[in-house]
Amino acid sequence: MSQNAYFIRTGADRFVPTEHVSGAWNTAEQHFSPLGGLITHAIETHTAERGLQLSRIGFDILGTLAMDECRIEVNTIRPGRTIELVEALVHIGDRTAVRARAWSLVAGETGTVEGGEAEPLPDPEGLEKKLLSEIWPGGYIASLDARPIAPAVPGRGAAWLSTDVELVAGEKAGPVASFVKLVDTANGVAVRESPLEWMFPNVDLTVHLFRQPEGEWVGLDTTVAFGPTGLGLTSSALHDRRGQVGRAEQSLTVRPM
């Protein structure tokens, strides 16, 4: 299915992944990053008329993600004029594959007290591209324009990511969905151990934002830590070209191949 998009809409709440979604350990499965963007797109569409801004979205990945059609069900859990909680369920086949919850908050003028963010990352223009597909298989990784900011060391890396692959064929995704569709790549820009010898997939992803992201580039300033009993944590400061916009955390299950 050759399309310059990660997903094709097949119904009001149904989507089929294209070859650009496959990977990372298994090319017969979906890489979660584009699916995370798709879920965010569904949530942003659901809440668009309320005029709120997404503050946090947490995804729980309930199992492997087959390269099959999915259905996304979105419901408002806690309605409100200034604070709202929304839940999205992703169904693949006969099971729920992902559960996500998102807080949206009212916008207001707080520029006079703005501050506390990390230093901006060096701009992606002029940085050399790196083929992450040298490390990771699958169509998703191959779809990326990746530009490391400095040579990575085990468990520590920073890079800019962009792509010319749209989220849903023929649809304009919002800025947060377009940003989130690349965030789950963090595990791949700060590799602690070879993915040919170890598995360390994330079972969740939580994105916190203190500013709405802008533009085509996602900056990941990432640290990966492994504990002694099979637990791991990927932590990332999230940037656009203006500076930091928030943070992302991913819980890892670490095991030998």
Side-chain angles (χ1 to χ4, degrees), residues 54-55 115-118 208-212 238 244-247:
L54 195 65
S55 170
E117 69 274 17
H208 288 264
L209 299 172
F210 59 82
R211 176 170 65 78
Q212 301 295 278
L238 304 176
Q244 188 182 5
V245 300
R247 293 199 61 85

Side-chain angles (χ1 to χ4, degrees), residues 20 54 58 64 75-76 95 102 119 140 159 169 184 193 200-201 228 249 256:
H20 300 301
L54 195 65
T64 58
N75 295 293
T76 300
R95 69 180 183 87
E119 289 295 315
Y140 170 67
D184 194 62
E193 296 290 343
F200 40 94
E249 305 289 333

